[in-house]
Amino acid sequence: MDMTIRYIHQLCQEVDRLAFGDMPDELPATAYTVLGLLSFDRELSGYDIKKWADASIRYFWWAPAVSNVYRELQRLEGLGLVEAVDHGGPSARNRKLFRITGAGRQAVERWNRTAPLGALVLKHPVVLRLWLGDLADPAELRALIEEHAVATRRMLKEIRESVDHAASQEAMQYPAAALAWATALYEADLAAAAAALAQLDVKPSPPRPKRSRPRR
Amino acid sequence: MDMTIRYIHQLCQEVDRLAFGDMPDELPATAYTVLGLLSFDRELSGYDIKKWADASIRYFWWAPAVSNVYRELQRLEGLGLVEAVDHGGPSARNRKLFRITGAGRQAVERWNRTAPLGALVLKHPVVLRLWLGDLADPAELRALIEEHAVATRRMLKEIRESVDHAASQEAMQYPAAALAWATALYEADLAAAAAALAQLDVKPSPPRPKRSRPRR
DNA sequence: GTGTACATGTAATCCGTTACATGATTCC
DNA sequence: GGAATCATGTAACGGATTACATGTACAC
């Protein structure tokens, strides 16, 4: 029922765009991310984009669902920022390759040069559960943090491989620098985990007597 | 039109819950966060919760919109995990205070003790733009990173005050530890920013000749 | 009396995920 | 021939944000 209104709204936006010939005020950042990946002048399929993002950008920005990548590509194609490449016939494994257009390159560049400073967003479930440590059993809390440390070490290993790979390529110096930044952050996380564990040792069961329900 | 289906779906879930008497399989983490704030045995309004979260939890987990807090409180009240406090008449500045119930406390505790390890999520727009550094003007990129560093220093100052405040209270040792963890992460971010700037100095305009459009 | 902070909420919308559907290719 | 991987999509759902609507209390 409000589908109709919604559809009309979308239609209006479409008309606006055609009439005034400009982009929608701002695309979501993930659209620019896809454009950014394509800005390396390679022809990529949705699948490629997903894989590349998983190996690199995800460590500091983006771990998209595959379906999301395809939807984003559709939107970008509709806006003329990206175009499908015609590789002789529908042969090569059914892959549909995309290439960035001039307008697309212009759009990412403009975004990267002029977008306002965005704040870092950190979502750290383990720290949240530490914050609520009074609700947990100290031993279980320790175990959680240790498990987290293991996972972080594993991730660090992956990132370092990714850094090595990027650093070895001439055209990948900026990506390598970004991955180095991410590496530093995960190392700090590891150190902070160790520090928290040490602090938990000092007072294995900190007093907090006024709780209504006894713990354990 | 699919509103109907959606509504039926919700009804089914409701019926399930009433029939089997258990919570919906898993509440979203933010619901547990609200419960967690209330688990400190204080009576809080939606506004209070928003403010407290902004001063503490937001640094590592959550910066909710106000309206989101109210919706979450409604849901929790509907589930009986939280209850409105009757403070004599609708006087005191129209505030509606909430208190955690026994079921609510049980639910957060269970969640904090048994939830599976969640991965840290980092969304760092500045690093993304560094990754795409080839699209930017080197001077502008430097400026962006410096601006980010300023903002991070400001945030660090806020966190440190928050840590001091928490550390001074007996019942806030875990929150203090969590904030210390966050502090370490933001300090590392600052250091990484400085490192990136230093690296940009070394090669102010790294070669990347095969670009289709000249920059600048 | 006017503006600012306090305080609570609803409606519409958006982004992203999950679940689902489908089919080609490769490896064993 | 059967499983795993590659590959592309659609539909439905859910969480969170933005914009909006409303009203009180207090400071100047």
Side-chain angles (χ1 to χ4, degrees):
Chain A
M1 36 185 61
D2 79 321
M3 292 301 287
T4 328
I5 294 175
R6 191 167 170 172
Y7 182 62
I8 290 176
H9 178 68
Q10 285 185 356
L11 262 186
C12 287
Q13 291 205 332
E14 185 79 9
V15 169
D16 278 0
R17 217 177 52 242
L18 290 176
F20 300 107
D22 57 7
M23 297 292 101
D25 310 14
E26 268 313 308
L27 289 168
T30 84
Y32 291 111
T33 310
V34 172
L35 280 178
L37 288 174
L38 286 165
S39 79
F40 283 79
D41 286 339
R42 299 179 187 169
E43 292 170 355
L44 300 173
S45 70
Y47 208 81
D48 292 334
I49 289 176
K50 161 70 174 164
K51 273 193 309 185
W52 193 3
D54 271 352
S56 171
I57 285 188
R58 103 171 135 110
Y59 296 115
F60 51 86
W61 176 251
W62 200 46
V66 229
S67 61
N68 199 13
V69 175
Y70 288 108
R71 192 182 337 96
E72 215 57 69
L73 281 171
Q74 281 170 6
R75 161 163 37 186
L76 293 173
E77 193 179 19
L79 293 171
L81 304 180
V82 139
E83 62 190 3
V85 180
D86 187 19
H87 51 82
S91 56
R93 293 205 69 180
N94 263 30
R95 282 157 56 83
K96 192 172 163 188
L97 295 178
F98 288 91
R99 168 206 303 148
I100 194 170
T101 65
R105 178 170 297 276
Q106 214 177 318
V108 224
E109 274 183 17
R110 193 174 63 88
W111 173 77
N112 196 25
R113 305 239 328 264
T114 67
L117 176 69
L120 176 162
V121 173
L122 180 64
K123 282 193 149 298
H124 202 318
V126 175
V127 177
L128 173 63
R129 284 161 80 177
L130 173 63
W131 199 83
L132 294 172
D134 276 307
L135 298 174
D137 176 68
E140 283 171 352
L141 189 55
R142 291 191 56 90
L144 181 73
I145 296 176
E146 275 159 9
E147 198 187 344
H148 168 69
V150 170
T152 304
R153 270 188 218 104
R154 191 165 44 233
M155 184 178 247
L156 261 172
K157 219 179 115 191
E158 289 169 23
I159 304 186
R160 290 215 184 90
E161 284 164 14
S162 207
V163 176
D164 291 345
H165 185 251
S168 70
Q169 290 178 47
E170 175 85 42
M172 295 300 232
Q173 294 314 304
Y174 282 115
L179 285 171
W181 188 322
T183 307
L185 286 178
Y186 289 105
E187 280 167 352
D189 188 55
L190 215 46
L197 284 176
Q199 210 184 341
L200 283 184
D201 274 339
V202 176
K203 42 177 178 46
S205 177
R208 175 95 166 276
K210 45 178 174 285
R211 236 6 175 277
S212 36
R213 277 166 47 106
R215 288 181 303 291
R216 285 272 67 185
Chain B
M1 38 184 59
D2 78 319
M3 292 300 287
T4 328
I5 294 173
R6 193 165 168 171
Y7 182 62
I8 291 176
H9 179 66
Q10 285 186 354
L11 263 187
C12 287
Q13 290 204 333
E14 185 80 9
V15 169
D16 277 0
R17 219 178 48 243
L18 290 175
F20 299 108
D22 56 6
M23 297 292 103
D25 311 13
E26 269 311 309
L27 288 168
T30 86
Y32 292 112
T33 309
V34 171
L35 280 178
L37 288 174
L38 286 166
S39 79
F40 283 80
D41 285 339
R42 300 178 188 170
E43 292 169 356
L44 300 172
S45 71
Y47 208 80
D48 292 335
I49 289 175
K50 160 69 175 165
K51 273 194 309 185
W52 192 4
D54 271 352
S56 170
I57 285 188
R58 106 172 132 108
Y59 296 114
F60 51 86
W61 175 249
W62 200 46
V66 229
S67 61
N68 199 12
V69 175
Y70 289 108
R71 187 167 4 78
E72 215 57 69
L73 281 171
Q74 281 171 6
R75 164 169 29 194
L76 292 172
E77 193 179 19
L79 292 171
L81 304 180
V82 139
E83 62 190 2
V85 180
D86 188 16
H87 52 83
S91 56
R93 293 205 70 180
N94 263 28
R95 281 156 57 83
K96 192 171 162 188
L97 295 178
F98 289 91
R99 170 205 300 147
I100 195 170
T101 65
R105 178 170 296 276
Q106 213 176 322
V108 224
E109 273 183 19
R110 192 174 62 89
W111 173 76
N112 196 25
R113 304 238 330 262
T114 67
L117 176 70
L120 176 160
V121 173
L122 178 65
K123 281 196 150 293
H124 202 317
V126 176
V127 176
L128 173 63
R129 284 161 81 178
L130 173 62
W131 199 83
L132 294 171
D134 276 308
L135 298 174
D137 174 68
E140 284 172 350
L141 189 55
R142 291 191 56 90
L144 181 74
I145 296 176
E146 276 158 9
E147 197 186 345
H148 168 69
V150 170
T152 304
R153 271 188 217 103
R154 191 164 45 234
M155 183 178 245
L156 261 172
K157 219 179 113 190
E158 290 169 24
I159 304 186
R160 290 215 184 88
E161 285 164 12
S162 206
V163 176
D164 291 345
H165 185 250
S168 69
Q169 291 177 46
E170 175 85 41
M172 296 299 233
Q173 294 313 303
Y174 280 115
L179 285 171
W181 188 321
T183 307
L185 286 178
Y186 288 104
E187 280 168 352
D189 187 54
L190 215 46
L197 284 175
Q199 211 185 340
L200 283 183
D201 273 340
V202 175
K203 41 174 180 49
S205 174
R208 177 94 166 277
K210 43 177 174 281
R211 235 7 174 279
S212 34
R213 276 165 48 104
R215 288 181 303 290
R216 285 270 73 180

